[in-house]
Amino acid sequence: MKDQPMRAEKIVRSEDPPNLEMPFSTLDGFITPTESFYVRTHFPVPNIDRSKWRLRLEGEVENAFEITYEELIALESRTIPVTLECAGNNRIFLEPKVKGVQWELGAVGNAEWTGVPLSLLLERAGVKANALEVILEGADAGPLAESKGPQGDVRFARSIPLSKACSDVLLVHRMNGEELHPEHGFPLRAIVPGWYAMASVKWLQRIVVTDTPYNGYYQTLDYAYWAETDGLAKLTSLSSMQVKAEIAYPPTGAVLKTATRIRIFGAAWGADVAKVEVNVDGAEWKLARLIDEAKPNAWRRWELDWTTPAQPGRHVLTARATDKDGRGQPTEHDPNRGTYMISRILPIEVEVA
Amino acid sequence: MKDQPMRAEKIVRSEDPPNLEMPFSTLDGFITPTESFYVRTHFPVPNIDRSKWRLRLEGEVENAFEITYEELIALESRTIPVTLECAGNNRIFLEPKVKGVQWELGAVGNAEWTGVPLSLLLERAGVKANALEVILEGADAGPLAESKGPQGDVRFARSIPLSKACSDVLLVHRMNGEELHPEHGFPLRAIVPGWYAMASVKWLQRIVVTDTPYNGYYQTLDYAYWAETDGLAKLTSLSSMQVKAEIAYPPTGAVLKTATRIRIFGAAWGADVAKVEVNVDGAEWKLARLIDEAKPNAWRRWELDWTTPAQPGRHVLTARATDKDGRGQPTEHDPNRGTYMISRILPIEVEVA
């Protein structure tokens, strides 16, 4: 990590377009400061003039309409903490190495998001009875490197089921109490709580209600995995996050003093986290203390005291989370998940010297 | 073509698995003889013992059941001529060169198929009200070379909408009056009239009625194209054939005598063919005579007399078909169709000497 270029508080995974990672060892409070929050982009950041910007809602609705930025922020907003994680977080741990941004531990963050419920705008438009999905379209677009993708400029867009769109999805104009920064989707982004962050479309400009599955590039050839039913593998769009704990301290490669009490510290998310356990060198799993109270779709920090051995040596720390339904983390990455949904238990190697 | 290895009457595009093309210049009667009929396989040809074989129908039905070969062929069958075309036929004409079997003109044929209407078996099973699609699964399986596909052995399977399944789809046990040959799907294959042939699943062993879109490998990462609606490209499973005329005689590279009357001859299919026109060197399009009467989903052969020029020289012949709704053929291949649905007008170069 020390050889990576940095921008502000973040590791630069790519500059053009910007893909910036939080060094996960800098995890501190429940809320990730905006300047530390990871940035994932597919195309150059759109430069949007808010006075000319409009959000259009159309498709299988009674009354398609456009709304201005001033009209939108005047609507009743809610503020909630939501953890966003890139579906490719932890990709650097995959063996053999794969294509895609080489995220380590920090393509994840927890912010307070302020926005208008999508359900409110859908109600205003009057969704028709045949509606099935809601497509969220960003202003970001460009040509794809992928030869099997659509030709010409492709616009980033994702769909969500109508039921999800009508529940807890927010159209967000503020992050951590401030107007959205351009890299985080100014003037408006979606927040789809509980889903990997590719669904929380930035630079929103159009919402299309459809009566057929959308099957766009970013939910078929990208951001999809193979799920098996009836003995047949089906290409399935990524949606809900998988439960996961990550260790922030000590970081990989840390050199610790012998016979010293340290605090193993991290966060867990991806579901309603019920417990986090920590393991040293494959010995018994020890229950960590959950620091944050449970809130829907927000991470919980956790900690556990550990006294380092009296003898110098190398040690492997692991953490695992379990959700309220008893689901835990796998020990191996399922290759049918491709380069996404990497929720296997990760080793953190430290040296006691 | 003359450098290609041959097997029986066919050009060998690959031996393992067998992909065999009819030399289109051998087109003669309305019915393609079975020994000339092209063969498309994805995996080794399954070796099926008919006494042990069962067809299972399950999923969103009231009464799942299995049926033996003897029981199946005892049901009332229909015999119809249907033209099958591989979705990648004419791929050798694409520029730049692309991956996939390099079919020229002959991955197409017209046979008489004898089989039991799929609707009859669906009725027996009692399809539930929530049913949406019907998956046809073959016995052929194997690992994929494609890294983005499912892991392990993948079985060839395709789905069709319930409405199509209940209309004209046949479960076929005879081809041109004989028991199916192993390479054509023994003991049972589907015939999905009007669709590219990847839908006419061979070596059928299971039919699954589903209430969700299937999105299997062979209708997403393969055998799919990008169709645009609402300004957004959607990955769309290949289905209906596109209208097309092909010239069988003279073949590309033919050397013809000067000032001699010859018969330009071919076939047209892919829709209800209303007319075929022929063009020499970009001059006016001349109406060909349709030889076969119109039958749903079967090709129509056509012919046009042409007197070769008195002077030696090279000439380009083209043919184009128009369907009953006035749809014709494009002059360029749409790259959003990828390496499939190649229905552009093709040039046949001949020499008069």
Side-chain angles (χ1 to χ4, degrees):
Chain A
M1 213 154 66
K2 54 186 172 292
D3 298 316
Q4 288 286 343
M6 303 284 289
R7 169 146 52 113
E9 308 293 318
K10 297 190 284 284
I11 306 159
V12 177
R13 296 284 175 207
S14 76
E15 264 296 2
D16 188 17
N19 283 296
L20 313 173
E21 178 170 351
M22 179 180 93
F24 197 65
S25 59
T26 65
L27 174 70
D28 184 9
F30 174 66
I31 296 296
T32 309
T34 302
E35 62 272 21
S36 303
F37 206 98
Y38 82 98
V39 171
R40 171 73 178 115
T41 57
H42 301 83
F43 303 110
V45 173
N47 182 10
I48 295 174
D49 176 345
R50 104 175 64 180
S51 68
K52 291 181 182 150
W53 174 90
R54 301 286 183 276
L55 176 68
R56 183 163 177 80
L57 200 160
E58 62 186 27
E60 300 298 318
V61 295
E62 299 297 340
N63 304 297
F65 66 87
E66 281 187 358
I67 188 167
T68 67
Y69 182 74
E70 295 304 327
E71 287 166 341
L72 191 104
I73 63 171
L75 298 176
E76 194 179 320
S77 285
R78 296 179 56 203
T79 297
I80 52 171
V82 172
T83 298
L84 290 187
E85 183 186 17
C86 176
N89 192 28
N90 307 161
R91 186 177 287 137
I92 204 168
F93 292 92
L94 291 184
E95 295 286 352
K97 291 297 169 208
V98 295
K99 287 185 189 175
V101 183
Q102 295 298 305
W103 302 113
E104 193 180 343
L105 296 170
V108 61
N110 186 60
E112 280 209 320
W113 307 98
T114 302
V116 178
L118 173 54
S119 59
L120 197 147
L121 297 194
L122 291 171
E123 255 174 58
R124 180 193 284 203
V127 172
K128 292 186 180 171
N130 57 336
L132 184 70
E133 292 189 355
V134 176
I135 303 171
L136 307 172
E137 181 194 80
D140 49 331
L144 300 172
E146 156 81 75
S147 69
K148 287 188 127 188
Q151 300 299 304
D153 280 2
V154 173
R155 201 165 286 286
F156 191 84
R158 286 274 307 187
S159 72
I160 47 179
L162 181 65
S163 55
K164 180 71 177 170
C166 291
S167 63
D168 57 358
V169 175
L170 289 185
L171 305 184
V172 157
H173 49 86
R174 298 182 83 78
M175 175 182 184
N176 291 337
E178 293 176 340
E179 205 169 69
L180 277 180
H181 290 200
E183 286 181 341
H184 292 295
F186 176 84
L188 193 73
R189 74 174 297 172
I191 290 290
V192 180
W195 284 39
Y196 285 110
M198 77 278 131
S200 292
V201 176
K202 299 195 274 193
W203 311 292
L204 259 187
Q205 64 172 18
R206 190 162 66 124
I207 294 171
V208 186
V209 179
T210 65
D211 59 356
T212 52
Y214 166 45
N215 281 356
Y217 177 78
Y218 289 105
Q219 53 203 71
T220 53
L221 266 63
D222 201 2
Y223 293 119
Y225 69 108
W226 296 100
E228 198 165 295
T229 38
D230 295 322
L232 292 165
K234 297 180 192 185
L235 188 63
T236 306
S237 185
L238 292 172
S239 57
S240 299
M241 291 191 284
Q242 301 290 305
V243 70
K244 173 192 288 186
E246 283 187 8
I247 297 172
Y249 185 85
T252 288
V255 180
L256 309 170
K257 287 185 187 162
T258 54
T260 305
R261 195 155 111 167
I262 67 153
R263 176 188 181 234
I264 303 174
F265 168 64
W269 63 88
D272 291 325
V273 173
K275 68 173 177 183
V276 173
E277 296 160 294
V278 176
N279 183 300
V280 179
D281 297 329
E284 65 173 330
W285 289 94
K286 293 197 177 158
L287 202 60
R289 189 178 76 82
L290 293 169
I291 299 170
D292 302 306
E293 61 178 304
K295 290 188 182 177
N297 307 306
W299 66 22
R300 301 181 80 174
R301 290 168 302 150
W302 53 265
E303 61 185 357
L304 182 73
D305 287 340
W306 177 47
T307 302
T308 59
Q311 300 301 318
R314 301 182 73 83
H315 300 278
V316 176
L317 311 181
T318 51
R320 68 179 186 192
T322 305
D323 75 9
K324 67 174 170 48
D325 299 319
R327 277 184 296 250
Q329 298 182 233
T331 52
E332 301 288 339
H333 179 66
D334 177 354
N336 273 338
R337 294 182 177 185
T339 68
Y340 292 114
M341 296 172 79
I342 306 148
S343 68
R344 75 171 180 90
I345 298 168
L346 299 176
I348 299 292
E349 294 181 33
V350 298
E351 192 176 347
V352 173
Chain B
M1 211 156 66
K2 55 186 171 294
D3 298 316
Q4 287 286 344
M6 303 286 288
R7 170 149 47 116
E9 308 294 318
K10 298 190 284 284
I11 308 160
V12 177
R13 296 286 176 207
S14 77
E15 263 296 1
D16 187 18
N19 282 296
L20 313 173
E21 178 170 350
M22 178 181 93
F24 197 65
S25 59
T26 65
L27 174 70
D28 184 9
F30 174 65
I31 296 297
T32 309
T34 302
E35 62 271 22
S36 303
F37 207 97
Y38 82 98
V39 171
R40 171 75 177 114
T41 57
H42 301 83
F43 302 111
V45 173
N47 183 10
I48 295 174
D49 176 345
R50 103 176 65 182
S51 67
K52 291 181 182 151
W53 174 90
R54 299 287 183 276
L55 175 68
R56 181 161 178 81
L57 200 159
E58 62 187 25
E60 300 299 317
V61 295
E62 300 298 339
N63 304 297
F65 67 86
E66 281 188 356
I67 188 167
T68 67
Y69 183 75
E70 296 303 327
E71 287 167 342
L72 191 105
I73 63 169
L75 298 176
E76 193 180 321
S77 285
R78 294 179 56 203
T79 298
I80 52 170
V82 172
T83 298
L84 291 187
E85 183 186 16
C86 175
N89 192 28
N90 306 161
R91 186 176 287 136
I92 204 168
F93 292 92
L94 291 183
E95 294 287 352
K97 290 299 169 207
V98 295
K99 286 184 189 174
V101 183
Q102 295 298 306
W103 302 113
E104 192 180 345
L105 296 171
V108 60
N110 186 62
E112 280 208 322
W113 306 98
T114 302
V116 177
L118 173 54
S119 59
L120 197 147
L121 296 194
L122 291 171
E123 254 173 61
R124 179 193 284 204
V127 172
K128 290 185 181 171
N130 58 335
L132 185 69
E133 292 189 355
V134 176
I135 303 173
L136 306 172
E137 182 193 80
D140 48 331
L144 300 172
E146 156 81 75
S147 69
K148 289 189 122 186
Q151 300 297 306
D153 280 1
V154 173
R155 201 165 286 287
F156 191 84
R158 287 272 307 186
S159 72
I160 48 178
L162 181 65
S163 56
K164 180 69 176 172
C166 292
S167 63
D168 57 357
V169 175
L170 289 185
L171 304 185
V172 157
H173 49 86
R174 298 183 82 77
M175 175 183 184
N176 291 338
E178 292 176 341
E179 206 169 68
L180 277 180
H181 289 201
E183 287 180 340
H184 292 296
F186 177 85
L188 192 74
R189 73 174 297 173
I191 290 291
V192 181
W195 284 39
Y196 284 112
M198 76 277 132
S200 292
V201 175
K202 298 195 275 193
W203 310 292
L204 259 186
Q205 65 174 19
R206 190 162 66 125
I207 295 171
V208 186
V209 179
T210 66
D211 59 356
T212 52
Y214 165 46
N215 282 355
Y217 177 77
Y218 290 104
Q219 54 205 72
T220 54
L221 266 65
D222 200 3
Y223 294 120
Y225 68 107
W226 296 100
E228 199 166 295
T229 39
D230 295 322
L232 292 164
K234 298 179 191 184
L235 188 63
T236 306
S237 185
L238 293 172
S239 58
S240 299
M241 291 191 283
Q242 302 290 303
V243 70
K244 172 192 287 186
E246 284 187 7
I247 297 172
Y249 186 83
T252 289
V255 180
L256 309 171
K257 288 185 186 163
T258 54
T260 305
R261 197 156 111 167
I262 67 151
R263 176 187 179 234
I264 303 175
F265 168 65
W269 62 88
D272 292 324
V273 173
K275 67 174 177 182
V276 173
E277 296 160 293
V278 176
N279 182 301
V280 179
D281 297 329
E284 65 173 329
W285 288 94
K286 291 195 178 159
L287 201 61
R289 188 179 76 83
L290 292 168
I291 300 170
D292 302 306
E293 61 180 303
K295 290 188 183 178
N297 306 306
W299 66 20
R300 300 181 79 175
R301 291 168 301 151
W302 54 265
E303 61 185 358
L304 182 73
D305 288 340
W306 177 47
T307 302
T308 59
Q311 301 302 319
R314 300 183 74 83
H315 301 278
V316 175
L317 311 182
T318 51
R320 70 180 185 192
T322 304
D323 75 8
K324 67 176 171 45
D325 298 319
R327 278 184 295 251
Q329 297 182 234
T331 52
E332 301 290 339
H333 179 65
D334 177 355
N336 273 339
R337 293 183 176 184
T339 68
Y340 291 115
M341 296 173 80
I342 305 149
S343 68
R344 76 171 180 90
I345 298 168
L346 299 176
I348 299 293
E349 293 181 34
V350 298
E351 191 177 347
V352 172

